[in-house]
């Protein structure tokens, strides 16, 4: 019999289908399907997959610097109690526990992650203390997990500190049987110190490792100065510090990466060129770029040699051993240039590598591109939250224990009543109710808890005549044993109660102000820095490799460059010093110690070359913009970090030069003993890293001043006792760099040369004395009383001139040292003119100028360097609209208009130009170019 048709809104049942054989013709279509565009489905599914990869696998958390797999391994090892002091266990056990309890992707994926955290050439501070074969920097694979053992390193223990004190949130594991932390407390700044790399979907991260000391110092700086600029942090964090060492070429990529979160840096292997006993050269590589393997480098160099892409290599030897993990010796053919070969290897082999800086990390669960300061701030924010939660947990625990101790102390104070209630109770529940019903007078509570404890008790429970015990306290009393009734137990409970009160007060103090938490963070960072910090391994050079001209990125501006006695150098924009009135005290220009006064001070453009002349007679070459730019009061940075100076070598003088190719331009150098030497400027245009010879100095002499001259110029030399001489630059003939020069002025007694300037008939000579006095005098036109007899010969004090045999050609001078020739002095004694008073009384018209003489004379009286003025310390050529920058030995700087210094004759005492404090003295005076006059700064007196 046919079945009735189903309702319109129902499908036929299986029984109906079986009975009829086929569904009825009027049965409705199946309605469980949804019409959905495949593009939308792919989009939604792919986004879900992408976010899972980004958040749960590939990117590190900005707070602890760990990916989920790394974090789970450390948590599993912590569960196994594998601290730094525990014994190591098999990595198979660690991988199995991690896979079974926390990580769903299998132990074969976990073990490579564990191995990487143990490799000292991959992490700056390893997180796993290994035993066994964990691979090598040569590129060899690790042994199987059943053969290796591991435990947590001391640094990893810092990441896990306070994990059980409710400091972080927990979430269920993949099987929801356990709980795992979403982040570690991370007392150690792991992300920036150890770095991280990862490729997600549509994004990647590449955080290079850094030096722990620098990162800790930067974190402390951010805590102390929340508004600190990134450029100021760059003075602390020099750049990445790779575990494999190497050399970073240039700072532009570092600066860009730290400012924007993205940048690239060029890293080179550390290679030196050595000479073998047979006279042939050899390139020795001792450090490789980060994440490059030694065997891969050797293999690649062999391919380049066999393919004739790099010629000049005769052999490659891998001399590495346990003591020196990387030592690759590359023998150079006899006719090849080792520098050329090394540059070819840098270009074509992994000895040079480009490393990306991508400061991408998870911030609040979302990927975010950070700059350097952002990462430091996020770590500090995390530590503030951790310490606050830890303190709240400890406070709650201490209060809970205090509550229990209060009940025990009260029970001991009223023990007879407590015992009576317990003895007459039928059950523990009845005894508990009876104990809770006992009313304790306030006086008894005060005796039991002490004044401080009772006061806190009243703050928590309120003031009352009597108090009852709580259920928690009643349970604790019922758990007491008879042995706890002895007097010693009562004293122990009393001492514990007092300690708890102190702990609670400390916890409340910490929570009362966030600054207290920040102080704890700073103390933790200083302790970590002291205990785990080490020196930098990666060197950073100012040499930019590539077609980019770094000078094009530097804004041209005038800088004040200062060098202290101990060799600390800095540059400061001249705009921070505003002109003051003559005689002021100046503003603080540098933080100097009593034993480290300022020795050199000059003004130069950021695009100028700076020639550093040393006490060894060498010259080094630097761009002004490559010098550290620091604040006005900063001490500066040690110059030995910029120049390759010998241990006993110091900077004698510096000279800014804009163009070395100017025709007929010379460098004239003056020494303390009155010698001068003139050398073509172009001979100093090609310096080497280790410096080039500038002048041959006598053992008891040193450089004093250096000027750039051209044909027709005249120079003026000034001495400490107030003498000066003016002569034509043509009086000294040009000579080579490795020469000593000729006599410029004859010195009397203990007098010595202090300065040299190029004379200008329309300008003035400003002379400054150590006690803060000075004057201006017109140079005047060249009027030249030349003397009766011209000098018949110049004694060239070079390596080979014979003072009795006349002058030898420069190219023929033999290379040996000889004494200076005592040339005949002028037939013109020093002019002792009538004294002119400070108010402006002057002598004859001749005293208002410096007349031209012959080189080698005694000169004329320039200023009266008596007890009031002290010795002359500096001379400067100035114009009427120039400004002056004066610095004292204590580091104070004053900027004044040159026209404020009285214009007087030569043989005068001058006027006060700067007020000095006790035990201070004027150290240097320089001219400020007039185009740098200020408009808006305030003078600080």
């Amino acid at each position: 019999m046919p079945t009735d048709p189903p309702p319109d809104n129902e499908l036929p049942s299986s029984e109906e289908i079986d009975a009829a054989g086929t569904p009825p013709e009027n049965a409705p279509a199946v309605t469980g399907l949804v019409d959905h565009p495949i593009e939308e489905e792919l989009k939604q599914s792919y986004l879900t997959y992408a976010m899972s990869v980004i958040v749960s696998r590939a990117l590190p958390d900005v707070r602890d610097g760990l990916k989920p797999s790394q974090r789970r391994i450390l948590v599993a090892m912590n569960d196994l109690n594998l601290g730094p002091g525990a014994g190591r266990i098999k990595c198979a056990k660690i991988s199995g526990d991690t896979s079974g309890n926390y990580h769903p992707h299998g132990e074969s994926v976990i073990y490579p992650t564990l191995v990487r955290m143990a490799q000292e050439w991959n992490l700056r501070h390893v997180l796993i203390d290994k035993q066994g074969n964990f691979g090598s920097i040569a590129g060899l694979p690790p042994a199987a997990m059943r053969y290796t053992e591991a435990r947590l390193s001391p640094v990893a223990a810092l990441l896990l500190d306070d994990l059980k004190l409710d400091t972080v949130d927990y979430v269920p594991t993949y099987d929801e049987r356990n709980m795992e932390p979403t982040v570690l407390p991370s007392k150690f700044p792991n992300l920036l110190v150890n770095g991280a790399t990862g490729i997600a979907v549509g994004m990647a991260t590449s955080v290079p490792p850094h030096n722990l000391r620098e990162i800790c110092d930067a974190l402390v700086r951010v805590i102390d100065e929340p508004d600190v600029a990134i450029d100021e942090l760059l003075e602390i964090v020099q750049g990445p510090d790779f575990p494999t060492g190497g050399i970073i070429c240039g700072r532009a990529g570092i600066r860009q990466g730290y400012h924007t979160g993205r940048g690239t840096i060029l890293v080179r292997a550390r290679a030196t060129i050595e000479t073998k006993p047979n006279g042939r050269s050899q390139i020795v590589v001792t450090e490789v770029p980060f994440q490059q393997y030694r065997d891969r480098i050797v293999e690649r160099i062999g391919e380049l040699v066999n393919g004739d892409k790099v010629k000049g290599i005769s052999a490659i030897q891998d001399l590495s051993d346990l003591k020196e993990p990387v030592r690759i010796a590359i023998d150079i053919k006899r006719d090849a240039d080792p520098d050329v070969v090394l540059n070819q290897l840098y270009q074509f082999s992994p000895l040079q590598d480009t490393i990306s800086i991508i400061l991408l990390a998870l911030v609040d669960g979302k990927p975010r591109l950070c700059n350097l300061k952002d990462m430091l701030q996020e770590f500090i924010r995390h530590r503030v939250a951790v310490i606050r939660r830890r303190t709240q947990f400890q406070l709650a625990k201490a209060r809970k224990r205090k509550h229990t101790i209060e009940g025990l102390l009260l029970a001991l104070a009223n023990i007879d009543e407590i015992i009576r209630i317990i003895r007459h109770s039928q059950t523990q529940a009845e005894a508990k109710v009876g104990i809770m019903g006992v009313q304790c007078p306030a006086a008894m509570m005060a005796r039991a808890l002490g004044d401080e404890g009772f006061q806190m008790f009243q703050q928590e429970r309120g003031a009352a005549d009597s108090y009852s015990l709580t259920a928690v306290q009643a349970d604790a009393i019922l758990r007491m044993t008879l042995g706890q009734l002895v007097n010693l137990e009562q004293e122990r409970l009393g001492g514990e109660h007092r300690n708890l009160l102190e702990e609670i007060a400390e916890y409340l103090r910490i929570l009362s102000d966030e600054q207290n938490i920040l102080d704890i963070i700073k103390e933790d960072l200083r302790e970590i820095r002291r205990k785990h910090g080490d020196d930098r391994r990666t060197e950073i050079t100012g040499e930019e490799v590539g077609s980019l001209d770094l000078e094009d990125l530097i804004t041209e501006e005038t800088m004040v460059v200062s060098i202290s006695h101990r060799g600390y150098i800095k540059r400061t924009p001249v705009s921070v010093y505003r002109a003051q009135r003559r005689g002021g005290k100046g503003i603080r220009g540098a933080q100097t110690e009593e034993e480290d006064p300022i020795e050199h001070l000059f003004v130069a453009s950021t695009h100028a070359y700076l020639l550093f002349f040393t006490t060894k007679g060498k010259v080094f070459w630097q761009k002004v913009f490559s010098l550290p730019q620091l604040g006005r009061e900063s001490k500066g940075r040690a110059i030995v970090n910029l120049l390759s100076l010998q241990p006993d070598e110091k900077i004698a003088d510096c000279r800014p030069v804009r163009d070395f190719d100017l025709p007929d331009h010379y460098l004239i150098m003056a020494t303390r003993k009155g010698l001068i030497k003139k050398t073509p400027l172009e001979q100093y245009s090609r310096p080497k890293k280790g410096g080039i010879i500038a002048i041959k100095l006598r053992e008891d002499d040193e450089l004093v001043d250096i000027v750039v001259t051209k044909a027709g110029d005249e120079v003026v030399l000034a001495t400490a006792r107030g003498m000066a001489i003016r002569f034509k630059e043509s009086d000294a003939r040009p000579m080579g760099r490795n020469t000593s020069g000729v006599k410029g002025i004859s010195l009397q007694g203990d007098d010595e040369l202090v300065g040299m300037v190029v004379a200008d008939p329309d300008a003035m000579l400003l002379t400054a004395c150590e006690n803060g006095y000075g004057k201006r005098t017109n140079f005047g036109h060249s009027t030249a009383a030349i003397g009766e007899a011209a000098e018949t010969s110049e004694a060239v004090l070079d390596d080979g001139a014979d003072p009795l045999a006349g002058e030898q050609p420069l190219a023929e001078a033999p290379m040996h040292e000889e004494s200076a020739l005592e040339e005949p002095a002028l037939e013109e004694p020093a002019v002792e003119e009538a004294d002119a008073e400070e108010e402006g009384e002057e002598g004859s018209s001749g005293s208002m100028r410096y007349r031209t003489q012959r080189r080698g004379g005694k000169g004329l009286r320039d200023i009266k360097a008596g007890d009031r003025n002290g010795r002359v310390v500096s001379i400067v050529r100035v114009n009427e609209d120039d400004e002056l920058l004066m610095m004292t030995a204590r580091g104070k700087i004053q900027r004044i208009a040159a026209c404020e210094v009285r214009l007087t004759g030569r043989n005068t005492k001058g006027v006060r130009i700067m007020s000095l404090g006790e035990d201070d003295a004027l150290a240097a005076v320089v001219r400020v170019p007039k185009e740098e006059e200020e408009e808006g700064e305030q003078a600080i007196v």
Side-chain angles (χ1 to χ4, degrees), residues 854-907:
R854 281 288 191 181
R855 171 184 57 80
K858 296 180 180 179
L860 306 173
R861 176 67 63 185
D862 176 28
I863 191 172
K864 293 185 176 182
D867 293 337
R868 189 199 74 162
N869 289 1
R871 294 169 71 87
V872 177
V873 295
S874 186
I875 59 171
V876 185
R877 186 186 71 184
V878 296
N879 293 311
E880 194 71 24
D881 53 356
D882 281 339
E883 292 187 348
L884 299 171
L885 209 59
M886 302 180 292
M887 177 172 277
T888 73
R890 295 281 188 171
K892 284 191 175 182
I893 285 183
Q894 182 181 357
R895 182 172 176 174
I896 67 171
C899 61
E900 294 183 10
V901 181
R902 187 186 300 274
L903 183 63
T904 65
R906 287 185 292 97
N907 193 17

Side-chain angles (χ1 to χ4, degrees), residues 689-915:
K689 184 177 180 180
I692 60 176
I693 296 175
I695 184 174
K696 186 170 184 60
L697 291 171
R698 298 169 60 94
E699 292 184 2
D700 57 343
D701 204 356
E702 61 180 347
L703 275 175
V704 170
D705 215 338
I706 299 159
V707 295
V708 179
T709 66
K710 61 182 181 300
D713 281 343
E714 296 182 341
V715 295
V716 175
L717 307 179
T719 73
R721 295 179 63 178
M723 301 300 294
I725 188 171
R726 174 179 178 176
F727 57 86
K728 294 181 178 181
E729 62 88 25
S730 58
D731 283 359
R733 73 168 181 84
M735 54 189 70
R737 288 187 289 105
N738 193 18
T739 55
S740 296
V742 296
K743 182 175 292 186
I745 186 172
S746 295
L747 302 175
Q748 302 297 314
D750 61 347
D751 202 2
E752 58 185 20
L753 197 67
V754 296
M756 173 175 57
V757 297
V758 178
D760 183 351
D762 299 322
M764 292 144 282
L765 178 69
L766 184 137
T767 306
C769 298
E770 60 184 351
N771 291 341
Y773 290 88
K775 69 173 183 67
R776 283 187 304 146
T777 304
N778 289 315
F779 282 107
H781 292 278
S782 175
T783 55
I786 303 293
E788 286 125 73
E791 298 178 40
T792 57
S793 64
E794 291 180 349
V796 180
L797 308 180
D798 58 12
D799 288 347
D802 186 348
L804 300 179
E807 191 176 290
Q808 296 184 19
L810 181 63
E812 299 175 4
M815 300 299 292
H816 66 272
E817 185 177 350
E818 53 122 18
S819 61
L821 174 63
E822 295 296 333
E823 300 187 23
L826 260 165
E827 298 293 334
E828 187 173 2
V831 179
E832 299 291 345
E833 298 169 332
D835 292 353
E837 296 301 323
E838 181 178 334
E839 289 76 9
E841 183 180 339
E842 300 166 358
S844 64
S845 61
S847 68
M848 292 301 295
R849 58 179 169 75
Y850 299 87
R851 59 188 175 86
T852 306
Q853 301 174 273
R854 281 288 191 181
R855 171 184 57 80
K858 296 180 180 179
L860 306 173
R861 176 67 63 185
D862 176 28
I863 191 172
K864 293 185 176 182
D867 293 337
R868 189 199 74 162
N869 289 1
R871 294 169 71 87
V872 177
V873 295
S874 186
I875 59 171
V876 185
R877 186 186 71 184
V878 296
N879 293 311
E880 194 71 24
D881 53 356
D882 281 339
E883 292 187 348
L884 299 171
L885 209 59
M886 302 180 292
M887 177 172 277
T888 73
R890 295 281 188 171
K892 284 191 175 182
I893 285 183
Q894 182 181 357
R895 182 172 176 174
I896 67 171
C899 61
E900 294 183 10
V901 181
R902 187 186 300 274
L903 183 63
T904 65
R906 287 185 292 97
N907 193 17
T908 57
K909 293 183 178 179
V911 296
R912 179 176 292 280
I913 60 175
M914 186 173 187
S915 297

Side-chain angles (χ1 to χ4, degrees), residues 628-667:
Q629 180 174 344
L630 303 175
R632 191 185 65 215
E633 297 190 8
S634 174
K635 180 180 179 180
R637 185 171 296 168
I639 200 170
V640 294
N641 294 329
L642 303 175
L643 307 178
S644 301
L645 300 178
Q646 298 178 15
D648 57 344
E649 193 171 16
K650 292 179 59 179
I651 299 300
D653 199 3
C654 306
R655 184 59 49 196
V657 177
R658 192 59 183 265
D659 187 1
F660 288 95
D661 297 325
L662 294 173
D664 298 326
H665 278 65
Y666 302 90
L667 272 183

Side-chain angles (χ1 to χ4, degrees), residues 563-584:
I563 306 177
S564 71
H565 176 73
R566 286 188 171 180
Y568 286 87
I569 187 171
K570 68 169 183 174
R571 63 182 173 101
T572 307
V574 74
S575 58
V576 303
Y577 307 106
R578 187 191 173 191
Q580 299 177 331
R581 297 294 297 174
R582 172 179 62 84

